[in-house]
Amino acid sequence: MNIQVVRPGELGDSELARWRELQKADPSLDNPFLSVEFAVAMDRLRDYVRVAVVSDGSGIKGFFPYERHNFGIGKPLGGFLTTCHGLISTPDLKLDAKALLRACKLSVFDFDHLVAGQPTFSPYEQDVRPAPVMDFTSGFDAWIEQVKANSPKNLKTVRYKERKLGREQGELRFEWQSADPEVLRTLLAWKSDQYRRTGRVDRFAQPWIVELTDMMHAENSSDFAGVLTMLYAGDVPVAGHFGLRTATTLVGWFPAYDTEYARYSPGIVHHLQMAEAAADSGLHMVDMGKGGKEYKDWLKSGVLYVAEGRISRPSATAAVHWIGRTPFNKARTIVMDRPSLYRAADRVLKGFGRVRTSMQQQEPSNAVVKEPTGAR
């Protein structure tokens, strides 16, 4: 095997076509975060984006997109922004993972949302997690029946709040794939407010992430697009979502709602309407991503699997990285495994968010409140 490392923007037309061909040929790769369009967009904004092109005498066998940071620290493409990564290759491609790292000039590579079971990385999987999905392959009606079976009480409550929202605030209207940049600005403002209220770092305080979102919003081809949805009560937007899709799969990314309407549970109302619109548009699935949100359990009608793990080559950098990352990863896994701990951690972060908001309101307008180290 020959491994050549380039930037995604340096790929030629034939290589881009081959990437798309490989992705379409393997159902496990049907995720927009694995699409070449996402890799090229990331490359335009970040200097550390690379892709290893794997080939033999018969042609290109695979692509491995990744980030190469200082001291040879490797991270998945998009890092904390994405919910899926891995090799885009023929299903049977099995490389020596450490030789791949050597060719990529990496000392270590951590992964936490890798497509589970890829032959190159499976020996290094330390844990495999389910990612809940809404599966529409049998139609929307079959999906909603599964949701009802999962929790008839929850579905009945949400439908009641949906009717109440329309009755008290104005007739409901759902918009699928809005092209309006102002609608996107509204959604991102809600999301920034949510990050701050819940004690998380506001991702949209980083200009490059805002620019990436704008770039993805502008994408609209049959195989890859940004999908902006919005639920209105009358003419007022109340809840929305921005995600990415392939020809058949939409991936959840940035859901948010206006807290003024929180009593109506507009986020869940939006998700039900988004599911129907997605099915009507011909999509087969909405991937909600792994995580501890309880609503995912009763909206799901299937699961995909993603793996966590670590590959390293002997080096001082890898040793230091292990010391710094392993305790955090183990603690995170323990919390995610125990709903009571997850809820307790969420309450602590929300409490911190309330305190921080109160402090910001009391500070002079030119004061700066620093983010806590390690906040997510």
Side-chain angles (χ1 to χ4, degrees):
M1 289 289 178
N2 176 57
I3 300 175
Q4 181 183 10
V5 175
V6 298
R7 297 187 64 153
E10 297 171 344
L11 296 173
D13 289 344
S14 62
E15 293 162 320
L16 298 175
R18 178 58 172 161
W19 185 314
R20 295 185 180 105
E21 179 186 22
L22 289 169
Q23 185 181 17
K24 290 180 180 180
D26 186 346
S28 73
L29 303 179
D30 185 22
N31 187 295
F33 290 125
L34 299 178
S35 296
V36 69
E37 290 85 354
F38 182 75
V40 170
M42 282 291 299
D43 183 35
R44 291 174 184 167
L45 299 172
R46 303 281 87 185
D47 289 337
Y48 45 65
V49 174
R50 301 289 185 273
V51 58
V53 183
V54 182
S55 60
D56 62 12
S58 63
I60 294 176
K61 295 297 183 181
F63 299 88
F64 175 56
Y66 65 97
E67 297 179 4
R68 185 170 71 205
H69 293 264
N70 291 339
F71 308 109
I73 300 298
K75 297 181 180 181
L77 180 67
F80 63 91
L81 283 175
T82 64
T83 58
C84 188
H85 41 259
L87 266 170
I88 297 88
S89 69
T90 56
D92 59 345
L93 180 65
K94 183 174 183 179
L95 303 173
D96 180 325
K98 293 188 178 182
L100 177 62
L101 261 61
R102 187 180 306 111
C104 295
K105 299 182 180 178
L106 299 179
S107 298
V108 62
F109 181 72
D110 258 340
F111 54 88
D112 59 3
H113 288 82
L114 190 93
V115 177
Q118 292 197 330
T120 297
F121 298 114
S122 58
Y124 301 91
E125 294 178 354
Q126 297 168 358
D127 200 5
V128 176
R129 300 272 160 176
V133 301
M134 306 180 199
D135 186 345
F136 310 127
T137 52
S138 297
F140 175 79
D141 291 341
W143 173 77
I144 203 70
E145 284 300 314
Q146 180 62 57
V147 172
K148 185 177 180 180
N150 291 344
S151 180
K153 182 179 179 180
N154 277 334
L155 183 60
K156 183 178 180 180
T157 299
V158 172
R159 288 306 195 194
Y160 167 76
K161 290 185 175 182
E162 181 180 44
R163 294 190 297 271
K164 185 177 175 67
L165 174 60
R167 186 171 61 249
E168 296 181 352
Q169 301 298 330
E171 184 178 357
L172 299 188
R173 174 172 62 89
F174 185 83
E175 185 177 16
W176 171 261
Q177 202 156 353
S178 170
D180 190 341
E182 290 307 312
V183 174
L184 181 61
R185 295 277 81 76
T186 296
L187 178 69
L188 299 192
W190 291 342
K191 196 65 181 178
S192 288
D193 177 66
Q194 178 190 343
Y195 286 139
R196 293 190 294 267
R197 283 187 291 104
T198 56
R200 275 75 169 180
V201 171
D202 179 8
R203 295 176 179 179
F204 299 111
Q206 300 185 56
W208 77 267
I209 296 180
V210 176
E211 188 173 356
L212 174 66
T213 307
D214 287 339
M215 292 169 64
M216 296 294 91
H217 185 217
E219 291 278 353
N220 187 18
S221 71
S222 59
D223 291 330
F224 183 89
V227 179
L228 174 61
T229 56
M230 185 62 71
L231 175 67
Y232 294 85
D235 293 326
V236 179
V238 296
H241 172 265
F242 180 69
L244 304 179
R245 67 152 178 81
T246 63
T248 55
T249 296
L250 173 68
V251 171
W253 206 7
F254 298 121
Y257 60 88
D258 187 339
T259 56
E260 183 177 343
Y261 301 93
R263 64 189 180 277
Y264 301 105
S265 300
I268 301 298
V269 172
H270 166 276
H271 263 56
L272 289 178
Q273 297 214 10
M274 181 178 72
E276 185 169 9
D280 288 345
S281 71
L283 294 180
H284 298 170
M285 183 183 300
V286 174
D287 182 344
M288 295 183 284
K290 71 172 185 176
K293 296 296 184 181
E294 293 181 5
Y295 75 86
K296 295 180 182 180
D297 284 337
W298 68 273
L299 291 182
K300 75 179 181 182
S301 56
V303 295
L304 302 175
Y305 290 94
V306 292
E308 302 175 6
R310 182 177 187 273
I311 310 166
S312 65
R313 298 190 297 126
S315 69
T317 296
V320 171
H321 184 265
W322 183 87
I323 292 171
R325 290 293 297 171
T326 298
F328 169 78
N329 289 340
K330 287 185 176 180
R332 181 184 60 185
T333 297
I334 291 171
V335 170
M336 297 297 285
D337 272 349
R338 293 166 174 79
S340 60
L341 288 180
Y342 179 88
R343 289 192 293 269
D346 192 50
R347 286 195 297 270
V348 169
L349 284 172
K350 288 178 179 177
F352 173 79
R354 288 191 293 269
V355 170
R356 182 173 59 181
T357 298
S358 176
M359 291 174 61
Q360 288 173 331
Q361 291 172 347
Q362 297 173 27
E363 289 282 344
S365 59
N366 61 347
V368 176
V369 178
K370 294 183 178 180
E371 295 285 357
T373 302
R376 295 295 298 270

